[in-house]
Amino acid sequence: MKKKITRLCATVLLLSAGIAFPTVIQAQRVNTFTVEQQARIDALKQGYIKKGVPAHWAEKRATMIVEQESKAQLRTSVKPATPNTGSIKIDRGSTPGSYSSYHTAATQDAYADYLVKHVLLNNPAAVTAISNVHFYGVYGPTDQRSLAYFEYEGTDFPIDKGLILATGDVNGVAGQSPEGPNDIAGGALSANGGYMMTGDPNLTPLVAPNTVQDGSHLVFDFKPFKPDVSFDFVFASEEYPQFSNTGFNDIFGFFVTELPSGTPFNIAYFPDGHTPVTINNSNWGNISSSNNDATHLGAPLPDKVNPQWHVPIYQSSPLMEYGGRTIKLTAKATGLSTSKTYRLALKVANVDDQNWGSAVFLSNLDLGAPEVGLDTPYMGAWNREWDEQGKDHLYTDCIQTLKLGFLPAAFDRKLVLSYMGIASKENIRKADGSPLPDTLDLKANEELITFPIKILPVPAADNGKEGAIRACIVSGDCDTVMNKTTKHFFKFFNGIQTNIDFVAPSPKYPGRFKLNITGGSNKVYRSIDNGLHWEFARDTATGEERPFTHDQMEYFLASDRNIWLREPNACAQVQFFHFTKDSLAGPVQPGISRQVIMPEVSGLVSSYAPGIHYVNSGSDLTFRVMPTGANAGKVPVVETGRKSIPDKQGVRVVSNGDGTYTVTIYRVREAIDLRISFAAPNSNVEADGSSIYTERETLYVTSPTANTAKVYNVSGVLVRTLTLSAGETVRTALPAGFYVVALGNGNTHKVIVK
């Protein structure tokens, strides 16, 4: 606001009646100037006219400048010790902690680096994404700043804290500070002498034919963790309202450039996505365009432009010195590559002169964050839509993969693990049952640490409660290990237990069949037709077990039936409960079953059909296969991916002498997704069950009985001695070449390692 106003007593009376019609008496101008002052007005006027400013605007601008210079309107020349009530607070140091760290920064770049990483950025874990911070603007030896921290505690401004980037000093004398109240014509940042930006290649095209003058420029590089990055901003100016829709069209822009040589593009637009944010592009009109200069206190004026994006700041408002601002806007850069580096240049500038400054308020820079999370695999075998319901669940005895990903650094770092919620060192262990380490070493340039973990039971009272792991780099940043997709903490669930209550129906009694499920989540499913149809076993809201219907009871009695239970994403895939019609004593629980997925493999005939199968937990799985077509004569290689039993101990492939092979997978105690490939044709397999073959610089030796195998090179030098247990397959890496393998039973085999 540029004019002092006086409210009439009538206004007060109307307000007391619940009606408010603001009425303002226009402040009187000083109409008498000295000869020197008039000469200065004329000189300023002619200078503006030469820049293309219309004569009446040039005269108004020049007169108001000299008026300000001639009046004792400035607040005290010293910034108040505390901000006025209801005002924004600029660089007051109350948040985020002590500001000595940047007030004493050796350079303005170090000062800007601190503010960008610790104030503007919304997630400290992403701080490693930012580099090469530079600031060009007002940076004095004490408190002179055109870049500073601000905060606000009221409801009249949409950003509670962030950065202010202004055309000039925001932290100097009171008359130049944007802190409220709004009571000085041209007070904020007037004649501030900021960083000269004449001819700026990014801003100049946005205000042509006018010219960019002084301002501030903040720039930094970033490598995003996600393709869409954003931040919030508000543009405010002292040019409002007197110089709306004139040549004094202060400007700013946010320019993103793909490095090293991309073309900058602006992301500072109004909500329509194409209108640059300038004074002339959003305002309530100019008060001098109406017979009533005070109209801006009410409805927008006739020469308004996009008033829906503008908020006036009335004279005497405690909020700030600026006379108007935009609504809160969001700048977005979409479709970026997480493998590339970009430069973000934030620029704000005066246009056509250095008076009546402007600023942009910035907050909530969202670059994503490094991936730090538990990788919960899709367990296959059933409806994905159902599986989505269990993405945040961790189940007892399930093996998960802990992934800790960070941007690399040129030096070694140490990572500290801690626990949140019900998570603890007692219920999250390594796959072998040993505790997780308290600290992990990150080597220079290391980006990922991954290892298997196992979820152990939690107390019954904690079943379904949330927990997470906290990972912190020593003297660095932290992040919480959550589900990387949903960003939720994990919920811990014990395995499903049952206590079956069965009473056979009679002519006068419908019967009773209840599983009495404990453990697990409310999303437990059941099937009575071998997995063809599934339904919730519990009420998903209350957790109460759903009763079986009369028709379902009749279905049980018609024939032998299996009842299947399962959890979304649980590793104990299905529990079976066998119901026999001839034994009305009730169902028999055979135990937990494990899911086995057999792939469909081209050039392979198998007695184990492709698809989903279930095996009683702890039992062996045996089936026959025969390579055909292009794989005829090759040896099948069967892999399980199990952590509990390595394949060299837990898988046996034996030749039957007729082109078929018997495959045995010992002690199936976890879900298995089988993978079958084929060994090189130079493999040697004996009819007695011994198998010797090579693949990918690896020798494989299997014997049906306890045996030894000695490996010689072409020079007759012994290079390996292998001890084999019955049914064990032993692997050993060998350099490329020819070898002879001699078994303890006297048989010898020639093999080629390629």
Side-chain angles (χ1 to χ4, degrees), residues 22-44:
T23 305
V24 176
I25 298 178
Q26 184 177 347
Q28 298 296 312
R29 288 191 177 185
V30 177
N31 296 318
T32 302
F33 298 102
T34 66
V35 174
E36 291 79 7
Q37 290 172 332
Q38 190 61 55
R40 176 163 167 71
I41 291 173
D42 293 340
L44 289 170

Side-chain angles (χ1 to χ4, degrees), residues 107-114 116-117 127-136 217-223 259-260 341-346:
T107 66
Q108 63 190 70
D109 285 346
Y111 157 80
D113 183 90
Y114 180 89
V116 170
K117 293 179 178 178
V127 71
T128 53
I130 297 173
S131 61
N132 297 327
V133 182
H134 300 285
F135 168 60
Y136 310 90
H217 180 186
L218 176 65
V219 60
F220 57 88
D221 299 341
F222 68 94
K223 187 177 182 181
L259 299 181
T341 301
Y342 300 84
R343 179 160 294 162
L344 176 60
L346 311 172

Side-chain angles (χ1 to χ4, degrees), residues 120 159 230-234 328-331 361-365:
L120 181 60
I159 300 177
S230 64
F231 54 90
D232 299 327
F233 68 96
V234 169
K328 186 175 76 171
L329 304 169
T330 300
F361 297 82
L362 307 160
S363 73
N364 194 34
L365 174 62

Side-chain angles (χ1 to χ4, degrees), residues 66-182:
V66 175
E67 280 184 347
Q68 176 171 329
E69 294 171 350
S70 68
K71 293 180 179 181
Q73 287 187 330
L74 290 178
R75 290 168 278 186
T76 174
S77 62
V78 179
K79 186 177 179 181
T82 59
N84 293 304
T85 302
S87 173
I88 58 173
K89 302 174 184 179
I90 296 179
D91 201 15
R92 294 288 180 169
S94 59
T95 305
S98 173
Y99 272 65
S100 61
S101 56
Y102 75 84
H103 276 156
T104 59
T107 66
Q108 63 190 70
D109 285 346
Y111 157 80
D113 183 90
Y114 180 89
L115 289 181
V116 170
K117 293 179 178 178
H118 296 273
V119 178
L120 181 60
L121 188 64
N122 70 351
N123 188 340
V127 71
T128 53
I130 297 173
S131 61
N132 297 327
V133 182
H134 300 285
F135 168 60
Y136 310 90
V138 179
Y139 183 78
T142 55
D143 288 333
Q144 298 172 3
R145 305 280 191 270
S146 58
L147 172 68
Y149 169 80
F150 83 91
E151 60 183 330
Y152 179 69
E153 299 174 350
T155 59
D156 294 331
F157 196 67
I159 300 177
D160 59 357
K161 63 180 178 181
L163 299 186
I164 177 173
L165 181 70
T167 55
D169 185 16
V170 299
N171 205 27
V173 299
Q176 294 181 354
S177 173
E179 288 188 347
N182 178 16

